[in-house]
Structures are given as C-alpha cells and as structure tokens.
Amino acid sequence: MNDEASNPNRYAVVGNPVSHSLSPQIHQAFAKQAQIDLSYETIELPEAGFANGVENLQLEHFKGLNVTVPFKQQAWLLCDRKSPRANDSGAVNTLIFLPDGNIAGDNTDGVGLTRDLVNNHRTLIKRRKVLVLGAGGAVRGVLPSLLALSPENLTVANRTLEKAEQLAKDFHDIGDINTFAYEELGREKFDLIINGTSAGLTQEVPPVPDTVLGVNSICYDMMYNTIQNTAFVEWALNRGASRSIDGLGMLVEQAAESFFIWHGMRVDTAEVIAMLRGEN
Ligand code: ATR
C-alpha cells in the first residue's frame, strides 16, 4: 500500500479533465492550518463511468469526494440524501461517504461565490440588480445562494434563451428570475454582473452589450486565472466596470465549505487565496 492508500483521511476531486485542479493544493493548505493529516488526490473518471468510479472509490475507503465538470449533475442523481441547497440547485460538488454505505451530497459552489463577493470583496447583493450570464450547470449551482441574499432582481441571460427560460421555471419555487437573450439586454443597468458561462475556456466573452454596465457596476467571473486576467475580467476592465474580479476566491471558499463539511473546522481562506496568487 502506498502512503495515500494507507491514509485513513482520504479524499479526492473527480472530474474530466481534472489534472490541473488546484483543489489538492488548497485542501493541503487547509489541512496544514488545521493540523490534520490528509490525503487529497485528483482522479480522472471516464465520461461514461462516473457512478462506477465513485463506487470503486467508496470501496477503497475514501471518505469523500469533490466533484467537478462534467459530473456535478450525475453526482446529484447518485446521492442517497442531499442538503437543501444541493437539492435546489440540481448539482452536487461535495460527496460524503457515510459509514452505513449511503452517500450524502452538498453543493458548496453557491456559498463559495457569495462568501467571496460579500466577505472578501465587500460586495452587496441584497437589494442590488444582479445579472447572471449563462444557464448551464455552473449557474444552476449558485442560484439558490444568490437568491437567498434577496437581490432587488435577478436576471439570467443566455445564448440559448430556452435554457434560461427552463432554468427560471425550475427555480420558480425559490425565487423570481427574469430571462433575456443577450441582444435583448441593454435597457437596464446592473449593479453586479456575474459570468457563469464556459466561454472563457476558449478565451471568449459572452456577447453581452456594454450598456448593462453603469459607473458603479461590479463584474465577477466565475472562472479564474492566477497568471493573467481572464477574458471576461479584461472585458469588464476595458469597459469601465468599477471592479472586475475573477473566481479564484470562489474556488477557495467552496473548498473551505467542503473542508468544514468533512472535518468540522473553519479555515483562514485569505491566506490560501494570497498563496495561490503568489502573494506570500
Ligand atoms: P457548465 O457546467 O460550465 O455550466 P454547461 O452546462 O455546458 O457547462 O453550460 C455552459 C454555459 O456557457 C451555457 O450557458 C452556454 O450557453 P448555451 O446554453 O447557449 O450553450 C454558455 N456558453 C458557452 N460558450 C459560450 C460562448 N462562447 N458565448 C456565450 N455563452 C457561452
């Protein structure tokens, strides 16, 4: 048995692709703070082999997993029980393997986003006009947490309008969501504009008109880049957004919430965000 396999505190992030994930570095930094011994691996599962892969890891005595693209919706289906926020979002990013063999699921992405916005960047959501770009799994994961903070209104714009409309229907019970195609936007300015599309993977920016930006608008990209600005952060800066923030803080905050679920300990996220940005 190698060292990782013999560690009773064994965790991993599963995804495809997953090799570039920062999660092992983040969880090891938290473990150091909390003074616990932790094994945290990256495991790539085949696209068609998520459920089997998870079952094998459960048999190998892993205690829990983080789940990333493209498996969060499949993880939701696999869980025997779910937290209310995971249940509402239709996506799970944190699995807990219980001693009785059941799998519990949670979603920490939404609280990761709102903690980064509110605690780290002092950005208000309550009574603010919020525009979310995209209507895929990443956006579904964060909507319950955004709606819970009572924005004045929440608008979702998407390239494929029907997907935004379906999403508004699915979330009808937890809050009102306005929907628009990008070209229909522009009559209203927003206080907070969150990019939840995957356009950044190809260095693209969703075709949102810059008329949505007012002088005090804050832009937030759920994607991150520790080396240079993401395409959306750059877009917003060039168009006069008052602040333009990438999603590294969200990544660390969602990890901190998973760490809390698994180990019952709160950690100092600022230290880890600074470390990842190369600031200490
Ligand atoms: P994820 O799990 O990352 O959310 P997804 O469920 O495939 O991935 O959703 C991707 C989202 O990014 C969708 O809202 C998609 O728009 P469509 O629904 O119209 O496909 C959006 N997206 C991806 N590339 C984009 C681009 N170049 N411009 C605008 N939106 C884009």
Side-chain angles (χ1 to χ4, degrees):
M1 239 199 285
N2 63 30
D3 280 356
E4 278 170 348
S6 64
N7 193 316
N9 235 354
R10 199 171 181 206
Y11 296 83
V13 55
V14 296
N16 189 335
V18 76
S19 61
H20 291 103
S21 170
L22 294 176
S23 292
Q25 213 182 327
I26 295 170
H27 280 270
Q28 288 302 353
F30 292 160
K32 199 170 161 204
Q33 276 185 28
Q35 299 185 318
I36 60 170
D37 187 22
L38 181 75
S39 153
Y40 191 106
E41 303 160 46
T42 53
I43 298 175
E44 185 167 305
L45 294 179
E47 294 226 14
F50 177 73
N52 266 343
V54 169
E55 196 183 340
N56 287 338
L57 296 174
Q58 205 176 4
L59 292 171
E60 285 178 42
H61 305 294
F62 278 76
K63 285 198 171 162
L65 302 174
N66 279 133
V67 179
T68 189
V69 174
F71 297 127
K72 290 181 191 182
Q73 272 130 314
Q74 287 186 56
W76 187 90
L77 291 170
L78 199 70
C79 291
D80 299 296
R81 66 176 92 129
K82 291 180 278 282
S83 68
R85 63 190 176 192
N87 198 44
D88 286 345
S89 71
V92 156
N93 79 336
T94 305
L95 297 178
I96 306 112
F97 294 146
L98 300 169
D100 63 3
N102 281 328
I103 302 178
D106 205 337
N107 192 319
T108 65
D109 287 330
V111 84
L113 170 67
T114 54
R115 282 199 189 132
D116 192 39
L117 280 165
V118 176
N119 300 352
N120 300 341
H121 296 286
R122 303 281 160 211
T123 300
L124 286 177
I125 294 168
K126 194 174 176 72
R127 288 196 286 275
R128 295 302 191 269
K129 293 179 180 174
V130 178
L131 171 63
V132 178
L133 312 176
V139 166
R140 284 177 179 265
V142 301
L143 284 178
S145 301
L146 285 171
L147 287 166
L149 292 180
S150 310
E152 158 120 13
N153 56 44
L154 196 149
T155 299
V156 169
N158 197 43
R159 191 170 57 179
T160 315
L161 180 59
E162 300 74 50
K163 266 173 77 176
E165 288 169 346
Q166 183 60 49
L167 180 148
K169 268 192 209 146
D170 293 345
F171 283 82
H172 179 257
D173 286 348
I174 55 169
D176 286 334
I177 296 175
N178 306 317
T179 54
F180 286 99
Y182 291 116
E183 61 276 13
E184 296 168 339
L185 288 168
R187 284 180 291 277
E188 193 177 356
K189 305 221 178 284
F190 293 88
D191 302 303
L192 175 61
I193 300 161
I194 300 170
N195 178 29
T197 71
S198 53
L201 292 176
T202 48
Q203 319 309 321
E204 287 175 279
V205 173
V208 58
D210 50 17
T211 43
V212 296
L213 287 165
V215 282
N216 293 317
S217 299
I218 295 170
C219 290
Y220 191 98
D221 194 353
M222 283 167 52
M223 294 211 162
Y224 63 86
N225 190 324
T226 55
I227 313 285
Q228 62 192 43
N229 285 339
T230 65
F232 182 73
V233 164
E234 196 65 21
W235 174 89
L237 285 173
N238 290 337
R239 280 158 188 80
S242 76
R243 278 189 292 157
S244 190
I245 305 163
D246 81 9
L248 186 71
M250 171 180 171
L251 178 78
V252 174
E253 294 294 343
Q254 64 77 28
E257 185 70 5
S258 294
F259 192 89
F260 176 71
I261 290 167
W262 290 329
H263 311 292
M265 280 178 271
R266 294 272 174 214
V267 287
D268 176 7
T269 51
E271 184 185 288
V272 178
I273 294 169
M275 184 257 298
L276 293 172
R277 293 223 190 265
E279 291 166 5
N280 62 8

